[in-house]
Amino acid sequence: MRGTKRLSRAACAAIALAVCGALLAACRERPHETVDFVMGTVVRQTVYGPSAETAAREAVERLRALEAALSFHDAASDISRLNRSSGGPQVTLGPEAIGLLERSLEFSRMSDGAFNIMVGPLVRRWKVTADRPDVPPPAEIASLVRLASYRDLSVDRDRRTARLARRGQMADLGGIAKGYASDAVLALYRARGVRSAIIDIGGNIGLLGSRPDGRPWNIGVQDPGRERGSYIGYLSLADNSVSTSGGYERFFVAGGRRYSHIIDPRTGYPADSGLASASVVAPSAEESDALSTAVFVLGASKGIGLIQRRPGVEAVCITTDGTVIVTEGLRGRFTLTAPEGTYRVEYRYRVGPDAAGPARQR
Ligand code: AMP
Ligand code: MG
């Protein structure tokens, strides 16, 4: 009896040691990290676990396939085929393009056109990343605004067809496709047995699980006024998605004014809503991507008004005058690290005429 007891104590000690060892190993585990250029942007992966390398390689292949189907610039993509046949017959598209077009229409409707899947003609004309961009004349902008009508896109999911009603109309998935791709990569990681990973597709970040030691990931929020990789603070999150739309990402300057790549489809001009950037946290990166574009166009108050009805969706809006507006649900999950006197944080828990109280400050 005594012998058995001693043996079981020894066994317990051995098990405890083994558990501690495994935990330590998990803490020390090094991730597989990669940087690639796909979908016109930098793709960073941080993947833990034995299948990390395979999963990361397959992820890049998957992204290249998505780019081939969804690109606005590649003449052979599904989206380009649709755009070329604008004003003509419906076209049959792959399931990915059909599904994403359909959901993009939903985001266009729910944001009342702040996110607008039909912004293509304006994006093409403003061509902010071209060698010699220019400011189009107002009459030209007005006619392009008329073309950017999401009501003219019809999608038949069962038949897998889509159609643009008028000649010259163009769908552009640029504001949502990277988020969608980030979700697709997380699904691929899961299928490969990965439990802990980050995928970042040009600022559309998908988080699988938490860090191997169980702590949340810390995701830097870019300082819009400084070089890439300088952060004003960070978000501590697990199993979530974060997308940032920023006027600093792609723009040109003319006549002392800055024109960014995010267009307000209602005016036809680059968005000018008082925001330097909008980061949206959501359960999926498709949602955070579409909504970050919409919030950037709408500005802080209307933008937060739009997202606050959606479960699990939160935002960090940085205004051009240095206020960081953080929605109440991120209290305790956002840490400001910018030096004193540069940025100040306001927590918003209700906006609009039915506001339950004033914005609180820190
Ligand atoms: P993001 O960086 O996610 O905000 O997406 C910006 C990209 O989406 C641009 O480069 C355009 O291709 C496209 N885009 C620009 N303005 C809009 C808009 N208002 N709604 C939807 N997509 C847009
Ligand atoms: Mg977006």
Side-chain angles (χ1 to χ4, degrees):
M1 202 56 195
R2 267 188 78 173
T4 324
K5 217 171 185 178
R6 261 195 212 127
L7 204 71
S8 70
R9 268 204 205 115
C12 284
I15 290 167
L17 264 176
V19 170
C20 285
L23 278 175
L24 267 175
C27 292
R28 279 200 226 105
E29 191 190 334
R30 291 175 74 85
H32 179 68
E33 292 176 303
T34 62
V35 182
D36 294 273
F37 195 83
V38 201
M39 300 185 87
T41 194
V42 177
V43 175
R44 291 177 196 280
Q45 303 185 70
T46 303
V47 190
Y48 287 86
S51 52
E53 206 172 329
T54 318
R57 194 177 50 249
E58 288 178 358
V60 173
E61 286 163 18
R62 178 92 174 89
L63 292 179
R64 293 206 197 287
L66 284 178
E67 179 176 21
L70 306 176
S71 168
F72 184 62
H73 308 284
D74 178 349
S77 75
D78 276 11
I79 294 305
S80 294
R81 281 199 296 120
L82 172 68
N83 290 344
R84 271 200 303 277
S85 94
S86 60
Q90 60 192 22
V91 289
T92 305
L93 303 174
E96 246 131 18
I98 285 291
L100 196 52
L101 281 170
E102 197 181 33
R103 295 191 301 281
S104 296
L105 258 182
E106 283 299 310
F107 284 112
S108 303
R109 288 190 198 108
M110 64 78 70
S111 68
D112 208 11
F115 173 91
N116 184 338
I117 187 58
M118 296 289 280
V119 76
L122 286 160
V123 170
R124 177 145 297 179
R125 177 58 185 89
W126 277 98
K127 55 180 186 329
V128 301
T129 51
D131 288 341
R132 292 168 56 202
D134 63 322
V135 178
E140 191 182 354
I141 290 180
S143 75
L144 295 176
V145 167
R146 286 192 289 278
L147 277 181
S149 165
Y150 59 86
R151 289 176 188 86
D152 288 339
L153 165 64
S154 37
V155 180
D156 184 332
R157 194 187 342 155
D158 297 332
R159 295 206 171 103
R160 278 215 211 144
T161 58
R163 180 170 183 269
L164 302 177
R166 287 183 282 143
R167 196 172 165 74
Q169 291 188 310
M170 289 176 216
D172 173 13
L173 294 169
I176 189 170
K178 296 185 195 81
Y180 170 71
S182 166
D183 292 338
V185 168
L186 288 197
L188 185 152
Y189 289 161
R190 276 191 208 99
R192 282 274 163 260
V194 174
R195 301 211 322 244
S196 185
I198 306 183
I199 172 81
D200 177 355
I201 308 178
N204 298 283
I205 300 172
L207 305 173
L208 180 60
S210 53
R211 291 200 269 184
D213 63 6
R215 287 181 298 157
W217 307 101
N218 288 333
I219 304 300
V221 178
Q222 173 68 38
D223 185 333
R226 293 176 59 206
E227 69 280 8
R228 213 162 281 258
S230 305
Y231 303 115
I232 61 141
Y234 59 88
L235 285 161
S236 301
L237 301 166
D239 269 322
N240 233 320
S241 303
V242 194
S243 294
T244 299
S245 292
Y248 55 84
E249 279 173 29
R250 274 170 270 157
F251 63 89
F252 72 92
V253 178
R257 273 204 60 182
R258 193 150 124 159
Y259 297 94
S260 96
H261 69 303
I262 302 170
I263 312 289
D264 183 339
R266 302 160 306 179
T267 64
Y269 284 82
D272 186 17
S273 65
L275 287 185
S277 74
S279 299
V280 171
V281 176
S284 82
E286 176 178 307
E287 186 173 15
S288 63
D289 191 2
L291 293 179
S292 69
T293 306
V295 171
F296 187 83
V297 168
L298 289 170
S301 287
K302 285 187 186 150
I304 292 172
L306 177 77
I307 63 156
Q308 71 182 354
R309 283 173 258 141
R310 298 179 76 91
V313 181
E314 305 288 342
V316 176
C317 295
I318 306 180
T319 66
T320 46
D321 62 4
T323 307
V324 185
I325 301 168
V326 181
T327 55
E328 185 65 16
L330 292 176
R331 191 180 275 281
R333 293 198 275 169
F334 174 74
T335 307
L336 184 75
T337 53
E340 192 81 21
T342 52
Y343 288 95
R344 80 195 169 99
V345 178
E346 274 183 12
Y347 285 93
R348 288 274 176 102
Y349 53 101
R350 278 292 210 111
V351 289
D354 59 345
R360 283 185 233 153
Q361 293 191 3
R362 198 193 84 171

